Amino acid sequence: MERENQEYISIVNATENNLKHVSLKIPKKKITVFTGVSGSGKSSLCLDTIAAESRRELNVTFPSFVQQFLPKYGRPEVERMENLPVTIVIDQKKPVANSRSTVGTYTDIYALLRLLFSRVGKPFVGYSDSFSFNHPSGKCERCEGLGVVTELDIHKLVDFDKCLNDEGVIQWPAFTTGAWRWKRYAYSGLFDLDKKIKDYSKEEMDLFLYSPQIRLKNPPANWPKSAKYEGIYPRMYRSIITSKEGQLHKKELDRIVSTFTCPECHGARLNAKIRSCLINGKNICEVSDMPIPEAAEFIRQIDDPLARDIKTEILKRMNALIEIGLSYLSLSRGTDTLSGGEAQRIKIARYINSPLTDMMYVLDEPSVGLHSRDIQNLKNSLIKLKEHGNTVMIVEHHREVIALADHIVDMGPEAGINGGQIMYQGSYENLLKADTVTGRMLRTKTPMKMEYRKPTGWYQVEHAKLHNLKDLSIKLPLGVMTVIAGVAGSGKSSLMEYFMSQYSGEVISIRQKDIGINLRSTPATYLDIADAIRALFAKANHVAQAYFSFNSKGACPACQGKGVIISDMAYMDSIETVCEVCHGTRYSEEVLKYQYKGKNIAEVMDMTVRQAIQFFEDADFVKKLDTLVQVGLGYLHLNQSMTTLSGGELQRVKLASKLDERGQIFILDEPTDGLHLDDIRRLMKLFNRMTDQGNTLFIIEHSLDVMKDADYIVELGPGGGLAGGSLLFAGTPKEMLEAERSVTREYLRESL
């Protein structure tokens, strides 16, 4: 009996987020899929409870000194968990943005390639480290191993017709007159503040623009004691251009700098000496630039005995990338250019051949961004992970991935506070018979739309060559709903990017990034209704609005509006405890005495969007809340941090703010990512309504259900990367069924 229990992961009474006292057993060394409508509690159970507790327990085994360098995981709300394996979470988070990180360095293939060239390459130019573009002996001196050169246009930064006392003399946010960076020049005592910059002497100009860091000999009294003087040029490069500040103000930075391929190394990142080392006529840069299948074939052709063991390891890792559907990538591709789905699949490839066993791999929607053709590669990779003796848990909506599972957990019945329950557990065959939303959707095939809207006009794209587009010329319809289809990396986003650059009018692009959120962003603040709610409370109670903000006068004095008390434990993890004064509400006791319609501000802000609509009824801002319901986000809380939302949820929040638009062109980048089949159906009703309002929709999408409801489809391919960028088909979904060149055709037929 004990042995039987060890074959299962046991969870007892989980209440994390919206989970309602969930208890279950998950079979070990099997594939278990967690599914259900968006917001039903899948991630809360799988990631925030099971995976989080496993990783927390593992971290506790390390010495306290080591723990301070490890990620911090709070104890999830669960009574008991048993038989947890060591867990590896494979999510869609990209590697930390780094201009020096590439597919090759991230997968460690480039490290092996460096070793190969140091042993086999001719002439010998150095050991393995020398082939690194991060090493002094290997990197190009002109671009510092980045492959690109960024140059500052000083005439766009400094107005030479002004003096230092004039407003806007240095045109950067932190250099405004009176700001601390401006003071580093004005208070240095080196310059006449009323003298125009263009009238400076050569010595003054060199000092103002190019001086390295120097300590002033006789500084004025208002000069900070520890400060050093530095010229504009080196200060901009050191403090802004190469720092996070530059990333935060990218639009401003793009105005004053120009970035171009390094003229010295031509983007190769390595210096001429290292590039002179060849194997079969190719240097390491040329091999890194090849698509991975081509690079793998090059490695196979090397017959030097010294290369035998290294070749085997390189090919094993390259084949893993090919098997997972990333053959269109090159080793030199920057990781900051990868999508979330691509980053996740690279992580999977890293673990496919791992010698570790009896691990638990938790994957968050690995099918995102994959064409139906590539799903089979993903399924094979997941099976490999299981066959190595591991437990695989997947949060997923895709039909084929759900069908792959040995065990399925269906969450629901709805989202948010109406979810958090297990509606079904068992096999795929029995799920098809189950009376759940997922069961009903899986056994129902979406029919193809047979009547199509007629375009109100056409936009001619001429000779598009952006990225992998192959001199593409195509007419794009206006006034209808168009799906841009094709395998991953086929050029879909490139086509839309080119269209936006050429189209003279405004285009509304809705993507899963660039939403503009921070830790304090909530649905209430994003929709700009928080002030309106505070105003209602202020009017009803005859006090200032500031009392109803936990960032202002309304903050709990004990926790300063955080809701928790953080205790610093030196080398140990910091301990968070719910504030005993405000009990986590964040507001002071005085503020909570004020009410509106029998509720205090904390109770109101904790309402879901649907509850708030009923509560406020006729308030003007209810219309804004209703837009969230229309995009399927009625389960969000008004005070919920936007940082807790998925990429798909963030995208729909942005979409909600644009629902009243008329006659606009929208580009939506895979809006169904992370959506349940039922949620996709609801979203398509919304897209059809937007199109009927006179808008043009271009939807980059892999979902066959979306294609079947479109008016027009443009398919690019046939492959990804260099194998893509060609037009395979343009026409109605019905016409696609007869298109011989279409890669998507057979999958569309099977779905009917």
Side-chain angles (χ1 to χ4, degrees):
M1 185 68 181
E2 185 177 344
R3 181 178 174 82
E4 184 180 332
N5 288 334
Q6 290 177 352
E7 298 299 318
Y8 292 87
I9 299 166
S10 177
I11 297 97
V12 179
N13 200 23
T15 56
E16 185 73 18
N17 298 330
N18 68 334
L19 299 179
K20 294 182 173 59
H21 303 281
V22 170
S23 298
L24 75 160
K25 287 186 175 181
I26 300 167
K28 295 175 78 172
K29 300 183 181 181
K30 303 288 185 183
I31 296 177
T32 298
V33 166
F34 293 77
T35 190
V37 297
S38 302
S40 60
K42 305 181 298 296
S43 295
S44 295
L45 178 56
C46 190
L47 293 163
D48 299 341
T49 301
I50 302 173
E53 178 63 6
S54 173
R55 300 172 93 178
R56 190 188 70 83
E57 290 286 353
L58 177 64
N59 286 3
V60 171
T61 65
F62 292 99
S64 55
F65 178 75
V66 176
Q67 288 182 39
Q68 68 173 325
F69 302 106
L70 299 175
K72 305 297 188 288
Y73 303 103
R75 186 185 293 274
E77 297 291 329
V78 60
E79 183 180 320
R80 188 173 73 254
M81 300 182 68
E82 296 174 350
N83 304 322
L84 276 177
V86 174
T87 297
I88 294 174
V89 175
I90 305 176
D91 54 21
Q92 294 178 25
K93 291 180 181 176
K94 295 184 185 181
V96 177
N98 185 342
S99 56
R100 296 187 178 275
S101 177
T102 66
V103 171
T105 60
Y106 188 68
T107 57
D108 290 332
I109 296 176
Y110 191 72
L112 293 168
L113 208 57
R114 284 163 33 201
L115 187 61
L116 179 68
F117 270 83
S118 68
R119 290 187 179 181
V120 180
K122 301 291 186 235
F124 176 80
V125 294
Y127 296 103
S128 174
D129 285 349
S130 301
F131 289 85
S132 170
F133 42 76
N134 298 319
H135 196 275
S137 64
K139 65 182 179 183
C140 169
E141 292 183 1
R142 178 78 167 84
C143 64
E144 292 291 313
L146 293 173
V148 294
V149 176
T150 301
E151 286 193 355
L152 172 66
D153 188 339
I154 197 66
H155 292 279
K156 290 181 180 178
L157 176 67
V158 178
D159 190 340
F160 286 77
D161 290 321
K162 292 183 177 180
C163 60
L164 280 172
N165 268 338
D166 291 335
E167 190 66 44
V169 60
I170 304 173
Q171 299 171 28
W172 183 261
F175 283 95
T176 54
T177 304
W180 72 273
R181 281 206 175 105
W182 172 85
K183 292 178 182 177
R184 292 292 186 269
Y185 299 90
Y187 294 178
S188 66
L190 299 173
F191 309 102
D192 182 348
L193 303 189
D194 295 315
K195 184 178 181 180
K196 292 182 179 179
I197 307 294
K198 67 180 182 181
D199 295 331
Y200 282 7
S201 66
K202 184 179 183 304
E203 290 76 16
E204 288 175 323
M205 191 69 78
D206 287 344
L207 196 61
F208 179 66
L209 295 179
Y210 308 113
S211 172
Q213 286 190 351
I214 56 173
R215 195 170 294 279
L216 300 181
K217 293 181 179 179
N218 298 299
N222 54 2
W223 180 260
K225 289 183 179 180
S226 61
K228 291 183 180 179
Y229 175 81
E230 188 176 21
I232 289 279
Y233 250 103
R235 179 179 285 277
M236 285 295 297
Y237 277 100
R238 180 180 59 83
S239 301
I240 296 171
I241 293 174
T242 59
S243 73
K244 288 185 178 180
E245 185 175 341
Q247 296 172 14
L248 291 172
H249 300 280
K250 191 173 183 309
K251 286 186 178 179
E252 276 294 315
L253 192 61
D254 288 344
R255 182 185 63 80
I256 61 174
V257 302
S258 53
T259 303
F260 50 90
T261 302
C262 175
E264 188 71 30
C265 68
H266 306 290
R269 300 181 178 222
L270 295 171
N271 59 47
K273 178 184 175 183
I274 303 301
R275 298 199 310 272
S276 70
C277 179
L278 306 177
I279 299 178
N280 294 342
K282 301 285 186 185
N283 61 41
I284 192 170
C285 307
E286 292 170 321
V287 176
S288 297
D289 286 340
M290 296 175 179
I292 289 173
E294 190 178 329
E297 184 58 33
F298 173 84
I299 299 297
R300 286 192 194 93
Q301 299 299 322
I302 301 172
D303 56 6
D304 193 305
L306 292 173
R308 186 178 298 113
D309 293 340
I310 306 173
K311 276 175 58 180
T312 303
E313 190 60 32
I314 292 175
L315 290 172
K316 184 169 73 174
R317 300 187 186 203
M318 283 183 169
N319 288 334
L321 291 170
I322 295 169
E323 287 173 13
I324 202 70
L326 295 174
S327 57
Y328 58 90
L329 296 180
S330 65
L331 297 179
S332 60
R333 174 84 172 262
T335 53
D336 56 346
T337 67
L338 302 176
S339 68
E342 287 170 334
Q344 187 182 38
R345 291 195 291 282
I346 284 178
K347 294 174 188 176
I348 296 173
R350 288 178 69 180
Y351 295 116
I352 283 177
N353 296 309
S354 172
L356 295 174
T357 187
D358 205 15
M359 305 285 286
M360 180 163 70
Y361 293 92
V362 179
L363 295 97
D364 187 12
E365 303 188 33
S367 69
V368 165
L370 282 183
H371 188 272
S372 298
R373 189 189 71 176
D374 299 319
I375 292 293
Q376 188 58 49
N377 293 328
L378 172 65
K379 287 164 62 178
N380 293 337
S381 298
L382 296 174
I383 291 169
K384 273 192 176 182
L385 286 177
K386 182 184 78 169
E387 289 176 344
H388 288 173
N390 300 304
T391 302
V392 182
M393 296 199 316
I394 310 169
V395 177
E396 189 55 82
H397 296 293
H398 198 284
R399 293 173 186 264
E400 287 192 53
V401 180
I402 297 173
L404 178 70
D406 302 299
H407 187 73
I408 297 168
V409 179
D410 189 12
M411 304 291 296
E414 297 179 22
I417 60 171
N418 297 318
Q421 302 176 54
I422 294 177
M423 307 306 297
Y424 168 84
Q425 287 191 78
S427 67
Y428 180 75
E429 290 74 21
N430 289 331
L431 176 61
L432 294 176
K433 304 172 187 175
D435 188 26
T436 67
V437 175
T438 305
R440 290 193 294 272
M441 294 303 299
L442 286 173
R443 57 179 179 260
T444 304
K445 290 190 174 184
T446 307
M448 180 177 286
K449 183 166 71 177
M450 301 307 290
E451 293 186 10
Y452 307 111
R453 300 178 183 89
K454 292 185 178 179
T456 57
W458 296 84
Y459 183 83
Q460 181 69 49
V461 173
E462 297 280 2
H463 304 293
K465 297 179 182 177
L466 184 65
H467 303 315
N468 68 334
L469 298 178
K470 294 183 171 56
D471 197 25
L472 187 65
S473 296
I474 182 176
K475 285 185 177 180
L476 297 175
L478 303 177
V480 301
M481 187 195 308
T482 299
V483 168
I484 312 298
V487 300
S490 60
K492 305 182 293 296
S493 298
S494 297
L495 174 60
M496 289 293 95
E497 189 180 335
Y498 184 83
F499 167 72
M500 286 177 65
S501 69
Q502 298 297 306
Y503 189 74
S504 56
E506 184 187 2
V507 176
I508 301 172
S509 178
I510 299 179
R511 306 162 67 189
Q512 293 189 15
K513 56 183 180 180
D514 305 327
I515 304 291
I517 63 168
N518 55 49
L519 286 170
R520 295 188 179 273
S521 296
T522 66
T525 58
Y526 190 83
L527 293 178
D528 200 25
I529 65 171
D531 286 341
I533 293 173
R534 293 178 191 130
L536 290 174
F537 271 87
K539 186 178 179 181
N541 296 280
H542 308 288
V543 294
Q545 277 186 225
Y547 279 102
F548 303 101
S549 171
F550 53 72
N551 296 320
S552 188
K553 292 182 179 180
C556 167
C559 65
Q560 305 300 313
K562 296 177 181 173
V564 294
I565 302 294
I566 301 173
S567 304
D568 186 4
M569 301 296 289
Y571 290 133
M572 302 289 290
D573 287 355
S574 299
I575 296 176
E576 286 189 7
T577 54
V578 177
C579 178
E580 293 182 358
V581 177
C582 69
H583 304 289
T585 65
R586 301 186 176 194
Y587 296 95
S588 69
E589 188 176 351
E590 179 190 357
V591 170
L592 295 179
K593 291 178 181 177
Y594 298 119
Q595 294 190 342
Y596 176 78
K597 291 187 176 182
K599 300 280 188 183
N600 62 42
I601 184 67
E603 291 170 329
V604 168
M605 296 307 287
D606 196 43
M607 289 180 176
T608 65
V609 170
R610 286 195 177 92
Q611 290 171 329
I613 289 173
Q614 294 177 351
F615 182 77
F616 290 107
E617 294 180 310
D618 300 325
D620 292 339
F621 58 80
V622 166
K623 291 181 180 177
K624 293 183 178 181
L625 290 172
D626 188 57
T627 61
L628 286 178
V629 175
Q630 293 180 50
V631 296
L633 295 176
Y635 58 88
L636 296 182
H637 291 260
L638 295 182
N639 62 354
Q640 186 172 345
S641 174
M642 296 281 279
T643 58
T644 65
L645 305 187
S646 67
E649 287 172 326
L650 286 173
Q651 193 178 26
R652 280 180 285 154
V653 169
K654 188 174 181 180
L655 178 63
S657 65
K658 304 289 185 181
L659 291 184
D660 292 332
E661 298 285 348
R662 300 286 192 278
Q664 298 291 333
I665 295 178
F666 287 86
I667 295 177
L668 299 109
D669 191 1
E670 301 189 16
T672 67
D673 281 2
L675 287 187
H676 187 268
L677 295 167
D678 188 56
D679 296 313
I680 292 175
R681 180 177 57 82
R682 295 172 189 271
L683 193 63
M684 291 312 299
K685 287 183 178 179
L686 182 64
F687 288 163
N688 276 299
R689 197 187 83 194
M690 290 174 66
T691 310
D692 290 336
Q693 290 172 181
N695 296 303
T696 299
L697 270 63
F698 292 111
I699 307 173
I700 301 170
E701 191 54 76
H702 294 291
S703 170
L704 297 173
D705 288 344
V706 176
M707 293 183 201
K708 286 187 277 190
D709 208 14
D711 300 303
Y712 201 79
I713 298 177
V714 173
E715 184 181 5
L716 302 181
L722 295 177
S726 299
L727 180 65
L728 301 183
F729 170 78
T732 65
K734 187 179 178 181
E735 291 170 341
M736 176 177 264
L737 296 175
E738 307 301 325
E740 293 184 2
R741 293 189 67 204
S742 171
V743 175
T744 309
R745 175 184 68 164
E746 60 177 293
Y747 304 102
L748 193 62
R749 280 181 172 175
E750 289 173 5
S751 70
L752 295 174

